[in-house]
Amino acid sequence: MIRVAVQPAAIDVAAELAAHDAGGHGASASFVGRVRGDGGLTELFLDHHPVLTVTGLEELASEAKKRWGISALTLIHRVGGMAPGETIVLVLASSPHRGEALAAVEFLIDRLKTDVMLWKRETFGDGRAAWVEQRGSDHKRAERWD
Amino acid sequence: MALTLSYFAWVRERMGVADEAVALPDDVHTVADLIAWLAARDDRGGLAFAEPARIRAAVDGQMVGPDAIVVGVAEIALFPPVTGG
């Protein structure tokens, strides 16, 4: 089972994990990314492309399935405005043994940060707002999978 | 043929619109040509496309480089480097 979604609604991690695990997998690995309230951040806004963002996630999901023996994969990214503590991204991968599931989760979150059409804008309590700049360290992590 | 340009993140903010239909001049062949043309076209373009190295593009749904051909395509998205996750 592969589930890929781009949604403005809150990500229900417990419900997604329950649905993902319904198949009964030997090993399930997860990554949950949350909004940090660093520096007085009050809102994180995620801009996306109406078509290409979900297409990009689907391409990464099928690439992960091709590389590892993945029996189930869930890849959900939130878009729009969100507050500190809320979940931005959820990655779940399952396989018969842990190695493939763990590797697939790391691959998916690393490549998502450099390959998928999503843009973060931070708004702070003092009224400042700024688009987040891409980090060189993210590229280094993503390139490990080339 | 009508071409639709769409903009995202700070490119959209600086352009003041999310998308627009344009007719390309005859001397615009590549993504790099398109960015240079938009930068020279008006003030908002000058603001959005002052640094071509910070602009990424997708042509008809595929991420492409600055040398990609834009003649005859239907949709081009222009945007900053992505920052999801």
Side-chain angles (χ1 to χ4, degrees):
Chain A
M1 180 202 86
I2 292 188
R3 165 162 159 71
V4 172
V6 172
Q7 62 184 52
I11 299 173
D12 186 339
V13 174
E16 294 293 348
L17 180 60
H20 176 98
D21 265 347
H25 312 288
S28 290
S30 66
F31 175 83
V32 183
R34 295 206 178 82
V35 180
R36 291 187 311 271
D38 297 355
L41 181 139
T42 51
E43 188 204 55
L44 186 69
F45 177 85
L46 260 290
D47 193 13
H48 75 293
H49 187 289
V51 178
L52 299 180
T53 303
V54 74
T55 309
L57 292 178
E58 285 165 355
E59 282 171 8
L60 284 185
S62 47
E63 176 71 22
K65 203 162 188 294
K66 226 184 292 174
R67 289 193 187 204
W68 296 281
I70 298 301
S71 50
L73 209 157
T74 298
L75 185 51
I76 303 174
H77 208 292
R78 195 161 167 205
V79 293
M82 56 204 91
E86 293 194 273
T87 300
I88 313 174
V89 59
L90 174 67
V91 183
L92 304 172
S94 297
S95 54
H97 304 285
R98 72 183 184 283
E100 292 87 351
L102 287 165
V105 166
E106 200 171 15
F107 164 82
L108 287 165
I109 191 63
D110 282 349
R111 291 286 295 269
L112 186 157
K113 281 180 171 282
T114 57
D115 292 11
V116 180
M117 291 173 70
L118 291 156
W119 301 271
K120 287 190 183 112
R121 187 187 64 208
E122 298 174 327
T123 302
F124 298 92
D126 59 9
R128 279 179 303 128
W131 292 93
V132 173
E133 294 288 330
Q134 200 175 50
R135 294 191 306 198
S137 58
D138 285 340
H139 264 282
K140 287 208 181 68
R141 288 191 68 90
E143 282 165 6
R144 295 182 305 152
W145 303 101
D146 287 350
Chain B
M1 191 170 110
L3 166 65
T4 302
L5 299 181
S6 59
Y7 309 118
F8 295 89
W10 52 257
V11 175
R12 184 189 63 235
E13 284 186 350
R14 293 176 190 183
M15 291 303 283
V17 293
D19 50 70
E20 63 176 320
V22 298
L24 289 185
D26 291 340
D27 57 352
V28 170
H29 304 291
T30 65
V31 166
D33 294 342
L34 171 66
I35 291 169
W37 174 63
L38 289 169
R41 190 180 58 162
D42 50 29
D43 288 349
R44 63 194 179 113
L47 201 61
F49 298 104
E51 296 174 83
R54 295 181 69 200
I55 302 297
R56 302 289 179 269
V59 169
D60 287 343
Q62 293 296 314
M63 296 270 208
V64 297
D67 297 333
I69 298 297
V70 298
V71 178
V73 309
E75 283 185 45
I76 304 175
L78 296 166
F79 47 88
V82 302
T83 55

PDB file of all heavy atoms in Angstrom, chain B residues 35-65:
ATOM      1  N   ILE B  35      13.825  34.080 -18.159  1.00  0.00           N
ATOM      2  CA  ILE B  35      14.089  34.785 -16.904  1.00  0.00           C
ATOM      3  C   ILE B  35      14.684  36.175 -17.200  1.00  0.00           C
ATOM      4  O   ILE B  35      14.284  37.167 -16.585  1.00  0.00           O
ATOM      5  CB  ILE B  35      15.005  33.935 -15.992  1.00  0.00           C
ATOM      6  CG1 ILE B  35      14.225  32.706 -15.496  1.00  0.00           C
ATOM      7  CG2 ILE B  35      15.542  34.753 -14.815  1.00  0.00           C
ATOM      8  CD1 ILE B  35      15.076  31.657 -14.806  1.00  0.00           C
ATOM      9  N   ALA B  36      15.600  36.234 -18.162  1.00  0.00           N
ATOM     10  CA  ALA B  36      16.206  37.524 -18.527  1.00  0.00           C
ATOM     11  C   ALA B  36      15.150  38.475 -19.102  1.00  0.00           C
ATOM     12  O   ALA B  36      15.130  39.678 -18.790  1.00  0.00           O
ATOM     13  CB  ALA B  36      17.335  37.301 -19.539  1.00  0.00           C
ATOM     14  N   TRP B  37      14.242  37.922 -19.909  1.00  0.00           N
ATOM     15  CA  TRP B  37      13.173  38.747 -20.506  1.00  0.00           C
ATOM     16  C   TRP B  37      12.235  39.288 -19.421  1.00  0.00           C
ATOM     17  O   TRP B  37      11.896  40.473 -19.411  1.00  0.00           O
ATOM     18  CB  TRP B  37      12.390  37.913 -21.528  1.00  0.00           C
ATOM     19  CG  TRP B  37      11.192  38.628 -22.074  1.00  0.00           C
ATOM     20  CD1 TRP B  37      11.186  39.782 -22.816  1.00  0.00           C
ATOM     21  CD2 TRP B  37       9.815  38.264 -21.893  1.00  0.00           C
ATOM     22  NE1 TRP B  37       9.887  40.142 -23.116  1.00  0.00           N
ATOM     23  CE2 TRP B  37       9.026  39.231 -22.568  1.00  0.00           C
ATOM     24  CE3 TRP B  37       9.170  37.199 -21.253  1.00  0.00           C
ATOM     25  CZ2 TRP B  37       7.631  39.167 -22.600  1.00  0.00           C
ATOM     26  CZ3 TRP B  37       7.783  37.134 -21.289  1.00  0.00           C
ATOM     27  CH2 TRP B  37       7.030  38.109 -21.946  1.00  0.00           C
ATOM     28  N   LEU B  38      11.842  38.419 -18.473  1.00  0.00           N
ATOM     29  CA  LEU B  38      10.960  38.855 -17.383  1.00  0.00           C
ATOM     30  C   LEU B  38      11.643  39.907 -16.506  1.00  0.00           C
ATOM     31  O   LEU B  38      11.011  40.872 -16.059  1.00  0.00           O
ATOM     32  CB  LEU B  38      10.536  37.654 -16.525  1.00  0.00           C
ATOM     33  CG  LEU B  38       9.556  36.688 -17.183  1.00  0.00           C
ATOM     34  CD1 LEU B  38       9.428  35.409 -16.351  1.00  0.00           C
ATOM     35  CD2 LEU B  38       8.186  37.339 -17.378  1.00  0.00           C
ATOM     36  N   ALA B  39      12.946  39.724 -16.269  1.00  0.00           N
ATOM     37  CA  ALA B  39      13.688  40.670 -15.419  1.00  0.00           C
ATOM     38  C   ALA B  39      13.729  42.057 -16.051  1.00  0.00           C
ATOM     39  O   ALA B  39      13.709  43.077 -15.353  1.00  0.00           O
ATOM     40  CB  ALA B  39      15.103  40.152 -15.172  1.00  0.00           C
ATOM     41  N   ALA B  40      13.776  42.100 -17.390  1.00  0.00           N
ATOM     42  CA  ALA B  40      13.892  43.379 -18.101  1.00  0.00           C
ATOM     43  C   ALA B  40      12.533  43.980 -18.446  1.00  0.00           C
ATOM     44  O   ALA B  40      12.439  45.155 -18.797  1.00  0.00           O
ATOM     45  CB  ALA B  40      14.703  43.166 -19.392  1.00  0.00           C
ATOM     46  N   ARG B  41      11.461  43.169 -18.332  1.00  0.00           N
ATOM     47  CA  ARG B  41      10.143  43.584 -18.833  1.00  0.00           C
ATOM     48  C   ARG B  41       9.537  44.729 -18.023  1.00  0.00           C
ATOM     49  O   ARG B  41       8.976  45.658 -18.562  1.00  0.00           O
ATOM     50  CB  ARG B  41       9.199  42.376 -18.831  1.00  0.00           C
ATOM     51  CG  ARG B  41       7.886  42.624 -19.548  1.00  0.00           C
ATOM     52  CD  ARG B  41       6.997  41.389 -19.522  1.00  0.00           C
ATOM     53  NE  ARG B  41       6.699  40.953 -18.161  1.00  0.00           N
ATOM     54  CZ  ARG B  41       5.689  40.135 -17.845  1.00  0.00           C
ATOM     55  NH1 ARG B  41       4.918  39.640 -18.796  1.00  0.00           N
ATOM     56  NH2 ARG B  41       5.479  39.792 -16.600  1.00  0.00           N
ATOM     57  N   ASP B  42       9.627  44.651 -16.687  1.00  0.00           N
ATOM     58  CA  ASP B  42       9.042  45.701 -15.842  1.00  0.00           C
ATOM     59  C   ASP B  42       9.690  45.666 -14.449  1.00  0.00           C
ATOM     60  O   ASP B  42      10.540  44.811 -14.179  1.00  0.00           O
ATOM     61  CB  ASP B  42       7.517  45.562 -15.746  1.00  0.00           C
ATOM     62  CG  ASP B  42       7.078  44.149 -15.375  1.00  0.00           C
ATOM     63  OD1 ASP B  42       7.856  43.455 -14.676  1.00  0.00           O
ATOM     64  OD2 ASP B  42       5.983  43.733 -15.772  1.00  0.00           O
ATOM     65  N   ASP B  43       9.294  46.583 -13.590  1.00  0.00           N
ATOM     66  CA  ASP B  43       9.918  46.691 -12.259  1.00  0.00           C
ATOM     67  C   ASP B  43       9.738  45.441 -11.417  1.00  0.00           C
ATOM     68  O   ASP B  43      10.655  44.980 -10.758  1.00  0.00           O
ATOM     69  CB  ASP B  43       9.331  47.893 -11.495  1.00  0.00           C
ATOM     70  CG  ASP B  43       9.814  49.214 -12.073  1.00  0.00           C
ATOM     71  OD1 ASP B  43      10.748  49.169 -12.908  1.00  0.00           O
ATOM     72  OD2 ASP B  43       9.269  50.264 -11.702  1.00  0.00           O
ATOM     73  N   ARG B  44       8.503  44.895 -11.412  1.00  0.00           N
ATOM     74  CA  ARG B  44       8.252  43.718 -10.571  1.00  0.00           C
ATOM     75  C   ARG B  44       9.085  42.534 -11.059  1.00  0.00           C
ATOM     76  O   ARG B  44       9.612  41.756 -10.268  1.00  0.00           O
ATOM     77  CB  ARG B  44       6.749  43.394 -10.535  1.00  0.00           C
ATOM     78  CG  ARG B  44       6.192  43.027 -11.880  1.00  0.00           C
ATOM     79  CD  ARG B  44       4.654  43.042 -11.944  1.00  0.00           C
ATOM     80  NE  ARG B  44       4.249  42.704 -13.292  1.00  0.00           N
ATOM     81  CZ  ARG B  44       3.612  41.590 -13.649  1.00  0.00           C
ATOM     82  NH1 ARG B  44       3.255  40.700 -12.746  1.00  0.00           N
ATOM     83  NH2 ARG B  44       3.323  41.336 -14.899  1.00  0.00           N
ATOM     84  N   GLY B  45       9.248  42.422 -12.385  1.00  0.00           N
ATOM     85  CA  GLY B  45      10.089  41.366 -12.944  1.00  0.00           C
ATOM     86  C   GLY B  45      11.544  41.574 -12.547  1.00  0.00           C
ATOM     87  O   GLY B  45      12.264  40.625 -12.225  1.00  0.00           O
ATOM     88  N   GLY B  46      11.959  42.848 -12.550  1.00  0.00           N
ATOM     89  CA  GLY B  46      13.327  43.175 -12.136  1.00  0.00           C
ATOM     90  C   GLY B  46      13.584  42.758 -10.703  1.00  0.00           C
ATOM     91  O   GLY B  46      14.654  42.259 -10.352  1.00  0.00           O
ATOM     92  N   LEU B  47      12.544  42.922  -9.874  1.00  0.00           N
ATOM     93  CA  LEU B  47      12.651  42.563  -8.458  1.00  0.00           C
ATOM     94  C   LEU B  47      12.666  41.043  -8.268  1.00  0.00           C
ATOM     95  O   LEU B  47      13.466  40.493  -7.503  1.00  0.00           O
ATOM     96  CB  LEU B  47      11.441  43.170  -7.725  1.00  0.00           C
ATOM     97  CG  LEU B  47      11.506  43.382  -6.229  1.00  0.00           C
ATOM     98  CD1 LEU B  47      12.636  44.339  -5.878  1.00  0.00           C
ATOM     99  CD2 LEU B  47      10.160  43.962  -5.750  1.00  0.00           C
ATOM    100  N   ALA B  48      11.780  40.351  -8.982  1.00  0.00           N
ATOM    101  CA  ALA B  48      11.634  38.901  -8.795  1.00  0.00           C
ATOM    102  C   ALA B  48      12.792  38.122  -9.410  1.00  0.00           C
ATOM    103  O   ALA B  48      13.191  37.077  -8.884  1.00  0.00           O
ATOM    104  CB  ALA B  48      10.308  38.434  -9.401  1.00  0.00           C
ATOM    105  N   PHE B  49      13.333  38.625 -10.536  1.00  0.00           N
ATOM    106  CA  PHE B  49      14.297  37.820 -11.295  1.00  0.00           C
ATOM    107  C   PHE B  49      15.681  38.459 -11.365  1.00  0.00           C
ATOM    108  O   PHE B  49      16.442  38.217 -12.289  1.00  0.00           O
ATOM    109  CB  PHE B  49      13.745  37.538 -12.695  1.00  0.00           C
ATOM    110  CG  PHE B  49      12.466  36.752 -12.656  1.00  0.00           C
ATOM    111  CD1 PHE B  49      11.238  37.360 -12.883  1.00  0.00           C
ATOM    112  CD2 PHE B  49      12.497  35.395 -12.332  1.00  0.00           C
ATOM    113  CE1 PHE B  49      10.061  36.631 -12.815  1.00  0.00           C
ATOM    114  CE2 PHE B  49      11.325  34.655 -12.265  1.00  0.00           C
ATOM    115  CZ  PHE B  49      10.102  35.277 -12.500  1.00  0.00           C
ATOM    116  N   ALA B  50      15.987  39.302 -10.353  1.00  0.00           N
ATOM    117  CA  ALA B  50      17.289  39.974 -10.323  1.00  0.00           C
ATOM    118  C   ALA B  50      18.445  38.975 -10.207  1.00  0.00           C
ATOM    119  O   ALA B  50      19.539  39.233 -10.714  1.00  0.00           O
ATOM    120  CB  ALA B  50      17.337  40.949  -9.154  1.00  0.00           C
ATOM    121  N   GLU B  51      18.189  37.836  -9.536  1.00  0.00           N
ATOM    122  CA  GLU B  51      19.250  36.832  -9.338  1.00  0.00           C
ATOM    123  C   GLU B  51      18.810  35.518  -9.981  1.00  0.00           C
ATOM    124  O   GLU B  51      18.213  34.666  -9.312  1.00  0.00           O
ATOM    125  CB  GLU B  51      19.499  36.615  -7.854  1.00  0.00           C
ATOM    126  CG  GLU B  51      20.022  37.834  -7.116  1.00  0.00           C
ATOM    127  CD  GLU B  51      20.109  37.573  -5.625  1.00  0.00           C
ATOM    128  OE1 GLU B  51      21.117  36.990  -5.201  1.00  0.00           O
ATOM    129  OE2 GLU B  51      19.152  37.920  -4.907  1.00  0.00           O
ATOM    130  N   PRO B  52      19.114  35.327 -11.269  1.00  0.00           N
ATOM    131  CA  PRO B  52      18.674  34.109 -11.972  1.00  0.00           C
ATOM    132  C   PRO B  52      19.155  32.818 -11.291  1.00  0.00           C
ATOM    133  O   PRO B  52      18.485  31.794 -11.373  1.00  0.00           O
ATOM    134  CB  PRO B  52      19.299  34.246 -13.366  1.00  0.00           C
ATOM    135  CG  PRO B  52      19.534  35.714 -13.527  1.00  0.00           C
ATOM    136  CD  PRO B  52      19.825  36.252 -12.156  1.00  0.00           C
ATOM    137  N   ALA B  53      20.293  32.870 -10.606  1.00  0.00           N
ATOM    138  CA  ALA B  53      20.815  31.667  -9.949  1.00  0.00           C
ATOM    139  C   ALA B  53      19.895  31.183  -8.823  1.00  0.00           C
ATOM    140  O   ALA B  53      19.985  30.031  -8.394  1.00  0.00           O
ATOM    141  CB  ALA B  53      22.214  31.942  -9.391  1.00  0.00           C
ATOM    142  N   ARG B  54      19.015  32.063  -8.344  1.00  0.00           N
ATOM    143  CA  ARG B  54      18.100  31.677  -7.266  1.00  0.00           C
ATOM    144  C   ARG B  54      16.731  31.245  -7.791  1.00  0.00           C
ATOM    145  O   ARG B  54      15.805  31.070  -7.012  1.00  0.00           O
ATOM    146  CB  ARG B  54      17.917  32.846  -6.292  1.00  0.00           C
ATOM    147  CG  ARG B  54      19.207  33.213  -5.544  1.00  0.00           C
ATOM    148  CD  ARG B  54      18.962  34.354  -4.581  1.00  0.00           C
ATOM    149  NE  ARG B  54      18.126  33.935  -3.464  1.00  0.00           N
ATOM    150  CZ  ARG B  54      17.433  34.772  -2.690  1.00  0.00           C
ATOM    151  NH1 ARG B  54      17.458  36.067  -2.967  1.00  0.00           N
ATOM    152  NH2 ARG B  54      16.706  34.332  -1.697  1.00  0.00           N
ATOM    153  N   ILE B  55      16.601  31.113  -9.114  1.00  0.00           N
ATOM    154  CA  ILE B  55      15.311  30.739  -9.703  1.00  0.00           C
ATOM    155  C   ILE B  55      15.377  29.309 -10.252  1.00  0.00           C
ATOM    156  O   ILE B  55      16.347  28.925 -10.915  1.00  0.00           O
ATOM    157  CB  ILE B  55      14.943  31.708 -10.858  1.00  0.00           C
ATOM    158  CG1 ILE B  55      14.889  33.165 -10.355  1.00  0.00           C
ATOM    159  CG2 ILE B  55      13.608  31.296 -11.482  1.00  0.00           C
ATOM    160  CD1 ILE B  55      13.833  33.457  -9.306  1.00  0.00           C
ATOM    161  N   ARG B  56      14.337  28.532  -9.933  1.00  0.00           N
ATOM    162  CA  ARG B  56      14.197  27.184 -10.484  1.00  0.00           C
ATOM    163  C   ARG B  56      12.979  27.179 -11.403  1.00  0.00           C
ATOM    164  O   ARG B  56      12.111  28.048 -11.287  1.00  0.00           O
ATOM    165  CB  ARG B  56      14.002  26.161  -9.364  1.00  0.00           C
ATOM    166  CG  ARG B  56      15.131  26.138  -8.341  1.00  0.00           C
ATOM    167  CD  ARG B  56      16.405  25.536  -8.921  1.00  0.00           C
ATOM    168  NE  ARG B  56      17.491  25.544  -7.949  1.00  0.00           N
ATOM    169  CZ  ARG B  56      18.374  26.542  -7.820  1.00  0.00           C
ATOM    170  NH1 ARG B  56      18.291  27.613  -8.598  1.00  0.00           N
ATOM    171  NH2 ARG B  56      19.331  26.476  -6.917  1.00  0.00           N
ATOM    172  N   ALA B  57      12.899  26.176 -12.291  1.00  0.00           N
ATOM    173  CA  ALA B  57      11.794  26.147 -13.252  1.00  0.00           C
ATOM    174  C   ALA B  57      11.282  24.735 -13.465  1.00  0.00           C
ATOM    175  O   ALA B  57      12.032  23.756 -13.352  1.00  0.00           O
ATOM    176  CB  ALA B  57      12.262  26.725 -14.583  1.00  0.00           C
ATOM    177  N   ALA B  58       9.994  24.647 -13.749  1.00  0.00           N
ATOM    178  CA  ALA B  58       9.387  23.394 -14.198  1.00  0.00           C
ATOM    179  C   ALA B  58       8.638  23.697 -15.489  1.00  0.00           C
ATOM    180  O   ALA B  58       7.847  24.640 -15.539  1.00  0.00           O
ATOM    181  CB  ALA B  58       8.436  22.835 -13.151  1.00  0.00           C
ATOM    182  N   VAL B  59       8.925  22.923 -16.525  1.00  0.00           N
ATOM    183  CA  VAL B  59       8.292  23.114 -17.823  1.00  0.00           C
ATOM    184  C   VAL B  59       7.350  21.944 -18.077  1.00  0.00           C
ATOM    185  O   VAL B  59       7.787  20.788 -18.073  1.00  0.00           O
ATOM    186  CB  VAL B  59       9.351  23.223 -18.941  1.00  0.00           C
ATOM    187  CG1 VAL B  59       8.693  23.162 -20.312  1.00  0.00           C
ATOM    188  CG2 VAL B  59      10.151  24.515 -18.801  1.00  0.00           C
ATOM    189  N   ASP B  60       6.062  22.258 -18.257  1.00  0.00           N
ATOM    190  CA  ASP B  60       5.032  21.228 -18.456  1.00  0.00           C
ATOM    191  C   ASP B  60       5.172  20.085 -17.444  1.00  0.00           C
ATOM    192  O   ASP B  60       5.095  18.905 -17.796  1.00  0.00           O
ATOM    193  CB  ASP B  60       5.061  20.709 -19.902  1.00  0.00           C
ATOM    194  CG  ASP B  60       4.504  21.744 -20.876  1.00  0.00           C
ATOM    195  OD1 ASP B  60       3.823  22.696 -20.430  1.00  0.00           O
ATOM    196  OD2 ASP B  60       4.754  21.606 -22.085  1.00  0.00           O
ATOM    197  N   GLY B  61       5.402  20.459 -16.183  1.00  0.00           N
ATOM    198  CA  GLY B  61       5.399  19.476 -15.102  1.00  0.00           C
ATOM    199  C   GLY B  61       6.730  18.839 -14.786  1.00  0.00           C
ATOM    200  O   GLY B  61       6.834  18.066 -13.838  1.00  0.00           O
ATOM    201  N   GLN B  62       7.770  19.129 -15.548  1.00  0.00           N
ATOM    202  CA  GLN B  62       9.086  18.540 -15.288  1.00  0.00           C
ATOM    203  C   GLN B  62      10.060  19.612 -14.824  1.00  0.00           C
ATOM    204  O   GLN B  62      10.171  20.656 -15.455  1.00  0.00           O
ATOM    205  CB  GLN B  62       9.637  17.890 -16.567  1.00  0.00           C
ATOM    206  CG  GLN B  62       8.859  16.674 -17.038  1.00  0.00           C
ATOM    207  CD  GLN B  62       8.906  15.535 -16.048  1.00  0.00           C
ATOM    208  OE1 GLN B  62       9.960  15.193 -15.520  1.00  0.00           O
ATOM    209  NE2 GLN B  62       7.744  14.957 -15.744  1.00  0.00           N
ATOM    210  N   MET B  63      10.791  19.319 -13.734  1.00  0.00           N
ATOM    211  CA  MET B  63      11.850  20.226 -13.286  1.00  0.00           C
ATOM    212  C   MET B  63      12.937  20.255 -14.360  1.00  0.00           C
ATOM    213  O   MET B  63      13.354  19.205 -14.850  1.00  0.00           O
ATOM    214  CB  MET B  63      12.471  19.709 -11.987  1.00  0.00           C
ATOM    215  CG  MET B  63      11.489  19.676 -10.838  1.00  0.00           C
ATOM    216  SD  MET B  63      11.503  21.230  -9.930  1.00  0.00           S
ATOM    217  CE  MET B  63      10.995  20.632  -8.318  1.00  0.00           C
ATOM    218  N   VAL B  64      13.376  21.460 -14.715  1.00  0.00           N
ATOM    219  CA  VAL B  64      14.369  21.588 -15.791  1.00  0.00           C
ATOM    220  C   VAL B  64      15.456  22.585 -15.400  1.00  0.00           C
ATOM    221  O   VAL B  64      15.299  23.356 -14.445  1.00  0.00           O
ATOM    222  CB  VAL B  64      13.708  22.066 -17.109  1.00  0.00           C
ATOM    223  CG1 VAL B  64      12.703  21.039 -17.618  1.00  0.00           C
ATOM    224  CG2 VAL B  64      13.054  23.428 -16.917  1.00  0.00           C
ATOM    225  N   GLY B  65      16.527  22.601 -16.161  1.00  0.00           N
ATOM    226  CA  GLY B  65      17.616  23.540 -15.944  1.00  0.00           C
ATOM    227  C   GLY B  65      17.447  24.778 -16.813  1.00  0.00           C
ATOM    228  O   GLY B  65      16.512  24.861 -17.618  1.00  0.00           O
TER     229      GLY B  65
END
